Amino acid sequence: MKARKTWILIANGTTARVLENVGPGKGLNALADKVWHAPEKDAFESEQGMTNNSVGRSMHRMAPHNAPDKKESTFAEELAERLLQAHTNGEFDDLVLTAAPKMLGLLRPALDAQVKGSVIAELAKDLVKTPNIDLKSHFEDVLRL
């Protein structure tokens, strides 16, 4: 019987990487060609605008928008497209989504139904900067490593 390939996507708003498990006792292997970064912010894009007070000459910053950061939304859509392409090519059978809570919330609706069907677990944690050797303990409940 062929061992199932499980990908673990580890992502936050700016970086994503993939680890692979190919069966019980095989551990986690980082896929060097599966590391992606969100596009840099436009140099002319500002965080908040300035406006005049209704009385007097002083100015204040406008309240930030509650909408998700466009860059993070675009990055989530890009990751969803890459996962769909990899799943269609048979690169993985099962998928574990591990992302910062905000990114996980953006990623879920962006995933194609085919990819959603392969998700076996989700972990709402930002583990992007966690060394590979320390990741095993986070996935022992999901995978037999």
Side-chain angles (χ1 to χ4, degrees):
M1 185 172 147
K2 181 184 162 198
R4 294 186 65 82
K5 281 188 189 176
T6 302
W7 273 16
I8 300 170
L9 176 72
I10 299 175
N12 62 21
T14 58
T15 304
R17 59 189 176 117
V18 175
L19 302 176
E20 183 179 62
N21 174 264
V22 290
K26 301 291 184 178
L28 298 173
N29 301 310
L31 301 179
D33 62 330
K34 304 293 184 206
V35 177
W36 305 295
H37 300 282
E40 291 295 320
K41 194 172 199 173
D42 186 4
F44 297 104
E45 187 178 338
S46 65
E47 291 292 321
Q48 297 174 327
M50 296 288 286
T51 187
N52 290 323
N53 282 340
S54 58
V55 178
R57 293 184 174 179
S58 63
M59 296 181 74
H60 66 274
R61 292 202 179 276
M62 295 168 41
H65 298 287
N66 290 332
D69 185 7
K70 184 177 180 180
K71 181 177 82 167
E72 287 183 359
S73 296
T74 304
F75 188 47
E77 291 168 6
E78 178 186 329
L79 290 176
E81 183 61 36
R82 289 176 186 265
L83 290 171
L84 175 60
Q85 187 176 25
H87 191 269
T88 302
N89 292 340
E91 294 181 52
F92 67 90
D93 301 305
D94 299 320
L95 179 64
V96 176
L97 295 177
T98 307
K102 183 178 178 182
M103 183 54 142
L104 192 56
L106 294 170
L107 195 54
R108 280 185 197 118
L111 291 175
D112 183 79
Q114 182 180 355
V115 176
K116 281 183 186 177
S118 69
V119 175
I120 59 170
E122 293 181 355
L123 183 60
K125 286 186 178 180
D126 186 353
L127 299 176
V128 168
K129 294 182 181 178
T130 304
N132 290 346
I133 198 161
D134 297 332
L135 288 172
K136 184 177 178 180
S137 64
H138 293 279
F139 304 109
E140 287 175 341
D141 294 343
V142 178
L143 302 170
R144 291 184 295 164
L145 301 172

